[in-house]
Amino acid sequence: MAESGEGLGTVPEHERILQEIESTDTACVGPTLRSVYDDQPNAHKKFMEKLDACIRNHDKEIEKMCNFHHQGFVDAITELLKVRADAEKLKVQVTDTNRRFQDAGKEVIVQTEDIIRCRIQQRNITTVVEKLQLCLPVLEMYSKLKEQMSAKRYYSALKTMEQLENVYFPRVSQYRFCQLMVENLPKLREDIKEISMSDLKDFLESIRKHSDKIGETAMKQAQQQKTFSVTLQIKQNNVKFGKNMYINDRIPEESSEIVLKHTFEEEEENEEEVLTVQDLVDFSPVYRCLHIYSVLGDEEAFENYYRKQRKKQARLVLQPQSNMHETVDGYRRYFTQIVGFFVVEDHILHVTQGLVTRAYTDELWNMALSKIIAVLRAHSSYCTDPDLVLELKNLIVIFADTLQQSFPKKFPMSQSVPHIYIQVKEFIYASLKFSESLHRSSTEIDDMLRKSTNLLLTRTLCSCLLNLIRKPHIGLTELVQIIINTTHLEQACKYLEDFITNITNISQETVHTTRLYGLSTFKDARHAAEGEIYTKLNQKIDEFVQLADYDWTMSEPDGRASGYLMDLINFLRSIFQVFTHLPGKVAQTACMSACQHLSTSLMQMLLDSELKQISMGAVQQFNLDVIQCELFASSEPVPGFQGDTLQLAFIDLRQLLDLFMVWDWSTYLADYGQPASKYLRVNPNTALTLLEKMKDTSKKNNIFAQFRKNDRDKQKLIETVVKQLRSLVNGMSQHT
């Protein structure tokens, strides 16, 4: 009983141990098994029996499970055996496909590597092209500078240097070639200074050699002036009293008109002599050197050098020869040198600003006067010949007269006017000679002469003038001179009529007397010349505008007007000075036409379809240029404009730029179409075009604009205004 009790107590313990063995990790089995041997005797045997029974139970369960799943396993094996062949085929196909993919991939890899290499090359080429595009204008300008230096266009070369330093070099300052160019510019400037100074020295030497010839010509001109006055008086007397007239329909063989004709021919020859003498001295080295030193900022040094050298030459001129008193030629040479010296100085005084002043010439003259008086007193005391004293007196009178008229004498008309007048008179003389043996009355001859002269004026002369005006090489100055000449020729027709009346003795008041067509003839030529002036002036403006080189993406303006525009304004100022000789209406029309054309060209530049982006900095720079245009217009370059009439030529640009500078879109949109609108001249289409260009610039320049509230608000404002302008433009087109 005791054993059975022990057995009953052991069985649950063995089951617990078996459960622990089954559920516990292998590392913890040792202590559990030890407890089997620590219990009652024969516990090991009983445990083994219990373990065997448990194993048998598990085997039965496994067998049941295997029996349950056996059929499915068999079916699966059968299916696998069926798939085996297809799997082998698939394996072969996959292997073949993989091999073909690998083979094809090798070619793709090679092509991909080529593409990558080409993309890198393309990127490098693009970078090189961009850098070259940045550098090419610099190299072109530097090449232009070298050409200007080779062609001895030094003033233009200095202006090119300024452009290089202010505009082009800052763009490529990181490159070594730019540094070399920058270092070379001071040397080029010094070379230009040395060359111009050398030219000036040659000029001073030239005028020293030719001063006596210039003085001799000036004194001849003064002497001939008296002869000319006497001749003119003779002509006026002949016209007044009708000295030349027909007697019994016969023409006198000798008349005062023929004498006058020879007088005019002699004067013409003398004029040609004066022009030839003027050609002895080329003043261009002075102008060129003065401009060069002005650009280099060393104008004062040039002025001091010029005045110092001329004072030295003045002292040499005032120094007489020791035997001057022996002949009148010695005195004449002395006086001509002095006159020639002061003629040159007077010319420099009138054609330059500041190089020679009136105070400087007065100082030279006071020095010369004291020296001349001393020389004449000293040398005249040796004169014992009364004829020599008389010649000396006459020479002194001519010397004094010469220094009192200006030299050279200038007329607004050119030399062609008296030439044409003389040729017309020659034609009248020839026509008169042709009529000698025709046995015509004075009235018939008068009528024939007038009609022939009209044909000469209307057909030959007018045609020649029109052909000359239309020649492409004729410049603005020449066209202005043609207008002045035709005005004087028109006025001279009255004297031609008097001339015909004088030789035919037929009064102009006669009913059937033919009038000369000078008025209409020269008016047509003058109108043609005026039209050419307007056209050529606009062409010159276009040439300057083509030199504009705006950086349309600049963030800030340069703070000063563009160089091309200042050069254009200086050109217009100089050409309008020439226009002062024109009739007032012509000069005003040319000035207004030029300003309107400039305004239109600037507006077209802003609205150019090839221009895609404009920054606010570029608009501000453009505004500085327009301000200079307005200042030029307000300076009254041509007199006669009322109020701000000339400034109105730029009113469209001004209102457009004000709108963008102030950004006053609310006022513009609210007041559009109102007569009192502040921006009445701003076309919505124009404003829209410019605003869209600024919008694109804002987007590209402000990459992180979406993170900044101010930029984000500005973009929204621009887009809102663009939409409103588009709707306004669309409404206008639909209404149209």
Side-chain angles (χ1 to χ4, degrees), residues 599 602-603 606 619-631 647-662 678-682:
S599 177
L602 293 175
M603 182 69 80
L606 276 180
V619 172
Q620 293 170 346
Q621 178 64 40
F622 201 82
N623 182 61
L624 292 176
D625 292 346
V626 175
I627 290 175
Q628 288 299 322
C629 295
E630 292 171 325
L631 290 174
Q647 290 176 267
L648 292 177
F650 301 97
I651 188 65
D652 292 359
L653 273 173
R654 171 47 51 217
Q655 291 190 5
L656 179 65
L657 291 174
D658 283 348
L659 177 60
F660 278 83
M661 296 289 290
V662 182
K678 182 179 178 182
Y679 306 103
L680 181 64
R681 307 282 299 183
V682 179

Side-chain angles (χ1 to χ4, degrees), residues 47-109:
F47 175 75
M48 292 302 296
E49 292 175 354
K50 190 64 177 176
L51 181 61
D52 290 339
C54 182
I55 291 172
R56 283 194 296 276
N57 288 334
H58 283 301
D59 289 340
K60 289 179 182 179
E61 291 177 357
I62 292 172
E63 186 177 359
K64 289 180 182 179
M65 185 176 293
C66 288
N67 289 335
F68 178 77
H69 292 287
H70 178 265
Q71 188 60 41
F73 177 73
V74 172
D75 294 339
I77 293 298
T78 304
E79 291 292 330
L80 285 174
L81 290 174
K82 291 180 180 179
V83 174
R84 181 176 183 180
D86 294 335
E88 290 179 354
K89 290 181 181 179
L90 180 62
K91 179 181 178 183
V92 173
Q93 291 177 355
V94 169
T95 303
D96 183 61
T97 302
N98 179 61
R99 180 183 56 77
R100 284 190 284 109
F101 270 125
Q102 292 295 332
D103 293 340
K106 291 179 181 178
E107 189 173 345
V108 172
I109 290 173

Side-chain angles (χ1 to χ4, degrees), residues 486-535:
T486 54
T487 303
H488 284 83
L489 286 172
E490 181 182 325
Q491 296 170 355
C493 285
K494 176 182 179 300
Y495 299 101
L496 288 175
E497 288 187 331
D498 293 341
F499 174 68
I500 295 174
T501 299
N502 186 38
I503 64 176
T504 62
N505 199 27
I506 301 299
S507 174
Q508 299 180 33
E509 283 73 23
T510 305
V511 177
H512 301 290
T513 301
T514 304
R515 309 292 299 187
L516 295 185
Y517 300 151
L519 182 64
S520 59
T521 299
F522 297 116
K523 185 180 292 184
D524 293 341
R526 194 155 53 245
H527 287 167
E530 291 169 6
E532 284 295 316
I533 283 179
Y534 306 147
T535 301

Side-chain angles (χ1 to χ4, degrees), residues 473-618:
H473 69 273
I474 296 296
L476 289 168
T477 306
E478 289 83 359
L479 289 170
V480 171
Q481 190 63 61
I482 289 173
I483 292 177
I484 296 171
N485 290 348
T486 54
T487 303
H488 284 83
L489 286 172
E490 181 182 325
Q491 296 170 355
C493 285
K494 176 182 179 300
Y495 299 101
L496 288 175
E497 288 187 331
D498 293 341
F499 174 68
I500 295 174
T501 299
N502 186 38
I503 64 176
T504 62
N505 199 27
I506 301 299
S507 174
Q508 299 180 33
E509 283 73 23
T510 305
V511 177
H512 301 290
T513 301
T514 304
R515 309 292 299 187
L516 295 185
Y517 300 151
L519 182 64
S520 59
T521 299
F522 297 116
K523 185 180 292 184
D524 293 341
R526 194 155 53 245
H527 287 167
E530 291 169 6
E532 284 295 316
I533 283 179
Y534 306 147
T535 301
K536 289 185 180 294
L537 187 57
N538 290 345
Q539 289 175 352
K540 291 295 292 184
I541 291 174
D542 292 338
E543 291 175 8
F544 278 99
V545 172
Q546 288 173 2
L547 298 176
D549 187 24
Y550 287 101
D551 180 7
W552 294 109
T553 59
M554 63 169 56
S555 58
E556 296 291 337
D558 293 338
R560 59 180 180 180
S562 303
Y564 86 93
L565 189 79
M566 297 308 298
D567 291 340
L568 171 57
I569 290 176
N570 291 333
F571 164 76
L572 291 177
R573 288 189 190 280
S574 63
I575 203 66
F576 288 148
Q577 286 292 324
V578 178
F579 285 5
T580 55
H581 300 290
L582 290 174
K585 186 177 180 181
V586 178
Q588 292 171 16
T589 304
C591 186
M592 177 59 77
S593 173
C595 290
Q596 289 175 342
H597 185 75
L598 176 57
S599 177
T600 303
S601 300
L602 293 175
M603 182 69 80
Q604 289 175 349
M605 192 186 302
L606 276 180
L607 305 179
D608 187 2
S609 58
E610 295 182 0
L611 178 60
K612 304 300 182 183
Q613 302 176 26
I614 300 179
S615 65
M616 180 54 74

